[in-house]
């Protein structure tokens, strides 16, 4: 099982990180190892190597069959369920990586950096269109992020197709599809809750 994460997939989020950043012309992806998974809404412990650990709430698509070099028009056959995840990011280390042109593993792929909702919802039960979904994230009960998948720069089908030209997708692989605007720093004692189409899926304590 692998975790594929898309960066820069919502315009307003790109602008909040860097006003001068360009909109990518192709999907940008990176990966997290299976040791990054944080399951079952278990608490997240702030790691000691970052002073700016941030949340990124994302729609997660679970791959349901093996595929490589998938054509975009057939990509919808490769996923049936969606959930939510948090792409925990050490923003201070990420800024260093970007400045020095270094890979992102230290800021993105550390242990427990990929929170995953215990439940996934069948896409068919949500209307069937992955580009017509809404998700909401609250920090300590205050709304912080509202995702509308129609605003993705790259659709899920485009992402599945693009990634599969480089990396074979297997059953159970997870794709974190990028975060909308509203990311922010976490402190001990915070609580993240998030819902997909009104269904509460994430409830994570920060310690
Ligand atoms: Mg992200």
């Amino acid at each position: 099982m692998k975790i594929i994460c898309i960066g820069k997939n919502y315009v307003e989020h790109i602008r909040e990180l860097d006003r001068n950043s360009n909109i990518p012309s192709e999907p940008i992806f990176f990966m997290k190892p299976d040791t990054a998974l944080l399951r079952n809404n278990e608490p997240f412990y702030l790691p000691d190597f970052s002073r700016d650990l941030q949340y990124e709430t994302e729609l997660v698509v679970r791959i349901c069959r093996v595929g490589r070099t998938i054509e975009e028009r057939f990509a919808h056959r490769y996923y049936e369920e969606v959930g939510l995840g948090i792409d925990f990011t050490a923003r201070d280390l990420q800024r260093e990586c970007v400045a020095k042109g270094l890979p992102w593993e230290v800021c993105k792929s550390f242990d427990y950096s990929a929170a995953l909702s215990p439940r996934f919802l069948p896409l068919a039960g949500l209307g069937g269109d992955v580009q017509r979904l809404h998700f909401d994230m609250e920090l300590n009960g205050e709304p912080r992020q509202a995702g509308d998948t129609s605003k993705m720069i790259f659709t899920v089908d485009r992402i599945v197709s693009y990634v599969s030209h480089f990396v074979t997708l297997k059953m159970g692989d997870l794709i974190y599809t990028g975060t909308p605007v509203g990311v922010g720093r976490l402190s001990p004692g915070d609580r993240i809750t998030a819902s997909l189409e009104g269904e509460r899926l994430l409830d994570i304590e920060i310690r």
Side-chain angles (χ1 to χ4, degrees):
M1 190 280 299
K2 56 190 171 290
I3 303 166
I4 293 154
C5 302
I6 304 300
K8 298 191 175 188
N9 205 22
Y10 290 87
V11 172
E12 288 173 67
H13 168 65
I14 296 174
R15 297 281 182 245
E16 78 177 333
L17 287 190
D18 178 359
R19 266 184 305 146
N20 301 314
S21 184
N22 293 324
I23 306 300
S25 54
E26 284 180 320
I28 294 168
F29 74 93
F30 56 92
M31 294 202 270
K32 300 189 187 228
D34 58 1
T35 44
L37 271 186
L38 181 68
R39 296 181 184 274
N40 300 318
N41 282 326
E42 281 169 7
F44 177 79
Y45 288 84
L46 290 165
D48 59 9
F49 50 74
S50 175
R51 281 184 208 87
D52 189 9
L53 202 296
Q54 299 198 356
Y55 57 83
E56 297 185 357
T57 313
E58 310 197 2
L59 182 83
V60 182
V61 173
R62 179 149 47 205
I63 297 298
C64 63
R65 52 193 283 207
V66 176
R68 60 185 295 271
T69 60
I70 299 162
E71 280 184 55
E72 193 172 328
R73 64 196 168 113
F74 297 131
H76 65 275
R77 299 178 181 174
Y78 291 80
Y79 57 90
E80 293 171 337
E81 291 183 314
V82 287
L84 290 179
I86 306 290
D87 168 17
F88 286 112
T89 302
R91 194 73 68 202
D92 45 356
L93 300 188
Q94 187 187 30
R95 291 192 190 283
E96 273 183 51
C97 291
V98 170
K100 294 177 182 170
L102 296 172
W104 285 11
E105 274 78 358
V106 295
C107 62
K108 285 286 198 182
S109 309
F110 51 88
D111 286 355
Y112 308 117
S113 60
L116 184 66
S117 56
R119 282 193 305 133
F120 270 62
L121 307 177
L123 190 53
L126 298 174
D129 185 349
V130 76
Q131 300 309 142
R132 292 190 61 161
L133 297 175
H134 295 85
F135 57 97
D136 297 282
M137 177 271 192
E138 298 180 343
L139 185 66
N140 306 320
E142 301 277 329
R144 288 296 181 90
Q145 291 194 282
D148 171 352
T149 61
S150 72
K151 299 209 168 119
M152 287 181 180
I153 298 169
F154 303 106
T155 63
V156 171
D157 287 350
R158 176 85 194 280
I159 290 166
V160 166
S161 171
Y162 181 82
V163 172
S164 76
H165 280 75
F166 298 93
V167 180
T168 299
L169 297 177
K170 289 180 155 182
M171 195 185 303
D173 286 350
L174 301 167
I175 302 182
Y176 285 58
T177 56
T179 196
V181 70
V183 301
R185 186 178 298 192
L186 292 165
S187 304
D190 282 344
R191 181 178 173 198
I192 290 173
T193 50
S195 304
L196 174 58
E197 290 291 319
E199 281 234 36
R200 171 73 59 87
L201 295 183
L202 289 174
D203 186 349
I204 298 170
E205 254 184 73
I206 308 301
R207 293 187 184 165

